[in-house]
Amino acid sequence: MPRLVALLLLVTGLGLAQGFRGLALYTPYPSQSVRVGETISLPISIKSFGLPPQSVQVRVVEVAPGWKASLLGGGRVVGAVYVLPDAEQSLSLRLEPPQRVQPGTYRFRLEALGSGGARAELPIALTLGQVLPKRLSLETELPVLKGTPTASFRYRVTLRNESDQDLLVNLEADAPQNFRVSFSTAFGGQEVNSLPLKAGESRDLDVQVTPPRQVEAKPYAVTLRALAGDTRAELVVNLDITGQVELSLTTPEERLSGRAYAGRENPIKLVVKNTGSAPAENVELSASEPSGWEVKFEPDKIERIAPGAESEVTARVKPSPRAVAGDYMLTFRASADGASTSADYRVTVQTSTLWGLVGVALIAVAVGAVGFAVSRFGRR
Amino acid sequence: MRLSSRAREGSPWTGLWAVFFKEMADHLSSTRMRILEVLILLSAVGAVYSGAQVLRQTVGEDPFLLLRVFTAAQDPLPSFVAFLSFFLPLAAIALGFDAINSEYNRNTLSRVLAQPIYRDALLWGKFLAALATLAVILLALFLLVVGLSLIFLGVPPGGEEVARALLFLLATLAYAGVWLGIALVASVLFRSAATSALAAIAVWLFFALFWGIIAQLLAQAVAPYDPFNPESELRQAEALLAFSRVSPNTLYAEAIQALLNPGVRSLGPVLITQLQGALLGSPLPLGQSLLLAWPQLTGLIALTLLLFALTYVLFQRREVRA
């Protein structure tokens, strides 16, 4: 018999737990720690289980001394909530502490009264003074990137708000002179320099560091900072800039055209400049010339060109002896390990005037013939 | 008369200018000249007008507009250059075919030579007077064309253009000189003026019409074309060019092609390897164009001189007291 009673109780208990009818009044964290002196706003929800639609009275029945409590719905102070069957309504409870409030635990109690005796209670406890400090953290997985001055230095940085309040975070960076640093939201987002961050939220940022083109090859450090009020997080990222050879090819007067006589060697002065940040070793010179032409370089190899320095080369261009007069395109090339440059040079080929002299000689012979005839056959 | 002496006595220049100016006056006042003048005027106006029309329709901007006026043609009229190469030999022949034989026929040669004038001076004077007349005609024509093209196109010619046009005039004068020389030879050889004119015109026709065909036959005979040997084609082309250059017409055509078209880089066959890397269409400098046309120019001038020498020798060996 007692067993039977116990079984009955158990069954009805199960039934009650599953088929609960009535009101529920709740908030996610009924007991929490807050900072001293700030107004707290708590989300409150009311839900009915299997009740007919009705208006539910909501009141704060117990308030800690000195505190002001008000229930707000849709921005106004409310006293009742209309709840449909199995539906939920949200409110917020605003708790304003008195001035000079002492640390300690304060209790509040909310009550919801529906028609037909449905009722729910919600006790709330606030502990003052035991709050987390404001904290931000900046982290990255790859703090050191290596590359040439023209490479892309992009760091994926995670900014985390490790406090219990929303923050507006300002981003800044300390970089060497002429380095440009830009923050943007991850995955191709906008460029930002301040962003709101909710409590406990983290955000991925892309930090792009652009070094100037003419930068010395050595490691550099960039300090990234996230600031919110008086709290800050710092992260040092490193750029290991390797040198880069960049060549340019031109002539001393920057003029890329000239004359050449067919069948003769014509010297053309060229200037090879290293505009990069690393020394160029073993710069080789070559040319693509029309067939039958000869192009020689003196010297045909430059041992070393320091960054920013230049070196003169003489190209000896010998157009083919059968070259037709007129303009031709030559391409000069300078290449060192990994870098190469080319310059198009327009050559105006002129033919030798030797045949012109032959023509003059021919006329002289003809004049001589006339002269001979005159002296030989001249008579009255 | 000393038969042993081969050396001449006295200067051949005595009385040259008297003959020269008299002949010039004769030429310039003759009916022949009137006919030539009318022909010149008509053809110059026609050629330039049609050329200007073509240029207005087709050419937007050209650094060598004046030279284009010379060479532009619109059917049915030939271009100015084509007209000149056709007309000038005839004009030269018309001025020279009866230079000497008319003196015989009018029995005036003895009278002229009774003056203190050497025979050479007479021949020189006649030759130079005809050449000067042709030069006057050409210059008048040239100025007419430049003036008309200024009116029609309104673009003043540049310095290099004018230089090229003047060189073209020089080449034309040398070409006319060749035909004048041929006419003079004919006028010494033939007593009858009609025969002399016919002979000179026959030579002109031979070079204008038949020499091209003969040159082709000769080239085929000298360098036969072998389909399995591509070089034979080149050899044949070169042989053909060499044979056709015997004709003064070819020499003149090549010379003015090089002078009036700055884009022409070579006369004759060009191998494709020679054009590798070449920027086609860019104009050659004047000196280079002149160098290209130089053999042709000197050839024409030398041919004129040699023909004159031949006339001279023939004339000196003639009996004049007939």
Side-chain angles (χ1 to χ4, degrees):
Chain A
M1 188 70 191
R3 275 190 191 169
L4 193 74
V5 171
L7 190 73
L8 255 172
L9 277 172
L10 194 73
V11 169
T12 48
L14 274 172
L16 277 174
Q18 280 190 337
F20 170 76
R21 295 165 58 91
L23 282 173
L25 182 66
Y26 61 94
T27 181
Y29 310 110
S31 165
Q32 45 178 284
S33 300
V34 295
R35 271 196 319 166
V36 177
E38 70 173 3
T39 302
I40 298 106
S41 178
L42 295 177
I44 309 286
S45 303
I46 297 180
K47 188 164 182 181
S48 84
F49 293 93
L51 295 181
Q54 57 189 299
S55 169
V56 180
Q57 303 272 338
V58 190
R59 286 182 307 154
V60 186
V61 288
E62 196 178 309
V63 185
W67 288 65
K68 273 190 201 158
S70 43
L71 278 164
L72 302 175
R76 298 187 193 87
V77 178
V78 292
V81 182
Y82 201 93
V83 188
L84 292 176
D86 290 341
E88 190 177 345
Q89 283 283 21
S90 308
L91 299 164
S92 77
L93 173 64
R94 197 158 173 279
L95 296 173
E96 216 175 306
Q99 292 185 337
R100 290 196 292 278
V101 66
Q102 300 298 317
T105 305
Y106 296 87
R107 296 185 186 286
F108 306 85
R109 195 152 57 84
L110 269 68
E111 190 179 55
L113 276 177
S115 57
R119 186 169 169 283
E121 268 197 1
L122 174 63
I124 292 173
L126 291 181
T127 309
L128 256 64
Q130 295 183 359
V131 293
L132 290 167
K134 276 189 195 172
R135 272 195 51 195
L136 286 169
S137 81
L138 267 177
E139 283 168 2
T140 180
E141 281 183 358
L142 304 168
V144 181
L145 292 183
K146 186 172 179 173
T148 59
T150 51
S152 162
F153 293 94
R154 187 182 285 263
Y155 302 86
R156 174 58 56 85
V157 175
T158 308
L159 174 65
R160 195 172 281 112
N161 179 357
E162 294 175 339
S163 67
D164 57 353
Q165 48 205 303
D166 300 353
L167 297 175
L168 182 65
V169 184
N170 285 313
L171 301 164
E172 41 180 72
D174 265 0
Q177 204 180 12
N178 295 337
F179 278 52
R180 192 172 163 272
V181 183
S182 68
F183 297 87
S184 58
T185 52
F187 309 113
Q190 301 288 327
E191 207 171 299
V192 292
N193 53 11
S194 81
L195 71 165
L197 206 57
K198 289 200 168 67
E201 195 186 26
S202 74
R203 186 68 79 81
D204 278 350
L205 298 172
D206 273 339
V207 182
Q208 172 93 40
V209 181
T210 314
R213 279 182 67 99
Q214 308 292 338
V215 71
E216 199 187 336
K218 64 173 195 189
Y220 292 88
V222 174
T223 310
L224 308 176
R225 267 196 217 92
L227 304 160
D230 53 354
T231 176
R232 61 171 53 193
E234 282 195 356
L235 173 67
V236 177
V237 293
N238 289 294
L239 296 81
D240 190 354
I241 292 184
T242 56
Q244 190 183 22
V245 179
E246 271 189 48
L247 295 174
S248 83
L249 189 61
T250 153
T251 57
E253 316 90 54
E254 306 268 326
R255 207 178 53 147
L256 288 171
S257 67
R259 289 180 177 180
Y261 282 98
R264 285 192 230 163
E265 276 203 347
N266 305 274
I268 295 174
K269 275 204 160 51
L270 297 172
V271 176
V272 186
K273 278 185 195 153
N274 182 359
T275 55
S277 52
E281 311 275 351
N282 291 335
V283 181
E284 287 194 6
L285 290 143
S286 59
S288 53
E289 69 272 12
S291 69
W293 291 40
E294 283 177 31
V295 181
K296 283 188 287 196
F297 292 97
E298 286 179 13
D300 58 350
K301 211 174 201 183
I302 305 169
E303 290 288 317
R304 188 170 185 278
I305 309 178
E310 56 185 50
S311 158
E312 260 200 12
V313 180
T314 305
R316 300 203 174 277
V317 177
K318 185 179 173 187
S320 109
R322 299 179 54 202
V324 176
D327 290 7
Y328 291 82
M329 219 34 141
L330 276 177
T331 307
F332 294 121
R333 242 179 237 96
S335 57
D337 33 29
S340 77
T341 179
S342 70
D344 283 346
Y345 195 89
R346 187 172 173 142
V347 181
T348 305
V349 169
Q350 302 194 316
T351 44
S352 141
T353 48
L354 179 70
W355 287 108
L357 294 175
V358 170
V360 171
L362 187 70
I363 290 184
V365 167
V367 170
V370 173
F372 172 76
V374 168
S375 64
R376 174 80 174 70
F377 299 101
R379 59 172 191 176
R380 279 216 60 171
Chain B
M1 192 125 202
R2 290 177 303 160
L3 289 171
S4 63
S5 162
R6 288 288 182 209
R8 60 171 306 137
E9 301 159 16
S11 158
W13 308 111
T14 328
L16 165 68
W17 296 115
V19 177
F20 174 80
F21 286 119
K22 180 72 182 75
E23 282 285 324
M24 274 286 278
D26 282 353
H27 279 314
L28 292 174
S29 58
S30 65
T31 319
R32 256 179 242 172
M33 198 66 200
R34 295 280 165 281
I35 295 168
L36 287 180
E37 276 163 7
V38 172
L39 273 176
I40 287 163
L41 194 70
L42 282 177
S43 56
V45 172
V48 174
Y49 179 74
S50 66
Q53 291 291 348
V54 171
L55 291 184
R56 271 190 198 163
Q57 284 158 16
T58 57
V59 180
E61 191 185 350
D62 196 310
F64 301 100
L65 203 61
L66 178 66
L67 305 183
R68 297 290 295 267
V69 172
F70 286 135
T71 52
Q74 186 187 30
D75 283 338
L77 285 171
S79 71
F80 180 69
V81 168
F83 156 76
L84 264 193
S85 58
F86 170 81
F87 162 83
L88 265 182
L90 290 180
I93 289 168
L95 289 178
F97 76 94
D98 59 351
I100 306 297
N101 51 23
S102 66
E103 301 275 0
Y104 282 116
N105 296 340
R106 293 200 305 264
N107 289 324
T108 48
L109 196 57
S110 335
R111 274 185 217 180
V112 171
L113 293 180
Q115 310 294 327
I117 288 176
Y118 280 98
R119 275 195 212 189
D120 4 14
L122 180 76
L123 197 66
W124 265 120
K126 281 185 175 287
F127 178 77
L128 285 180
L131 206 59
T133 311
L134 283 170
V136 167
I137 293 175
L138 272 177
L139 198 64
L141 207 50
F142 172 73
L143 292 173
L144 197 65
V145 167
V146 175
L148 285 173
S149 68
L150 273 178
I151 291 171
F152 286 133
L153 297 171
V155 181
E160 187 174 326
E161 262 188 298
V162 172
R164 277 177 186 272
L166 289 174
L167 282 170
F168 154 72
L169 269 193
L170 181 74
T172 310
L173 193 62
Y175 179 61
V178 170
W179 291 107
L180 187 64
I182 287 170
L184 274 178
V185 170
S187 88
V188 174
L189 280 178
F190 304 106
R191 276 289 163 93
S192 149
T195 315
S196 150
L198 264 178
I201 286 178
V203 173
W204 172 70
L205 274 178
F206 172 75
F207 280 122
L209 297 177
F210 302 116
W211 184 249
I213 303 163
I214 293 170
Q216 256 175 358
L217 293 173
L218 282 173
Q220 275 163 14
V222 171
Y225 172 57
D226 173 10
F228 298 106
N229 183 4
E231 271 193 17
S232 68
E233 196 177 1
L234 178 68
R235 273 205 297 277
Q236 193 179 46
E238 279 169 349
L240 173 63
L241 197 64
F243 283 120
S244 63
R245 276 178 180 163
V246 170
S247 153
N249 301 38
T250 310
L251 292 181
Y252 175 66
E254 284 186 339
I256 61 174
Q257 194 189 3
L259 288 173
L260 289 185
N261 189 350
V264 169
R265 291 182 158 206
S266 161
L267 302 167
V270 176
L271 295 177
I272 198 84
T273 52
Q274 285 175 286
L275 288 182
Q276 198 192 359
L279 295 161
L280 294 175
S282 57
L284 282 186
L286 172 61
Q288 292 297 307
S289 283
L290 184 59
L291 209 55
L292 200 58
W294 192 245
Q296 280 77 359
L297 260 177
T298 52
L300 287 172
I301 293 170
L303 193 56
T304 306
L305 288 168
L306 290 174
L307 281 168
F308 178 76
L310 177 67
T311 316
Y312 184 86
V313 172
L314 287 172
F315 181 57
Q316 293 292 345
R317 303 184 73 170
R318 270 291 157 88
E319 185 55 59
V320 294
R321 295 184 196 83

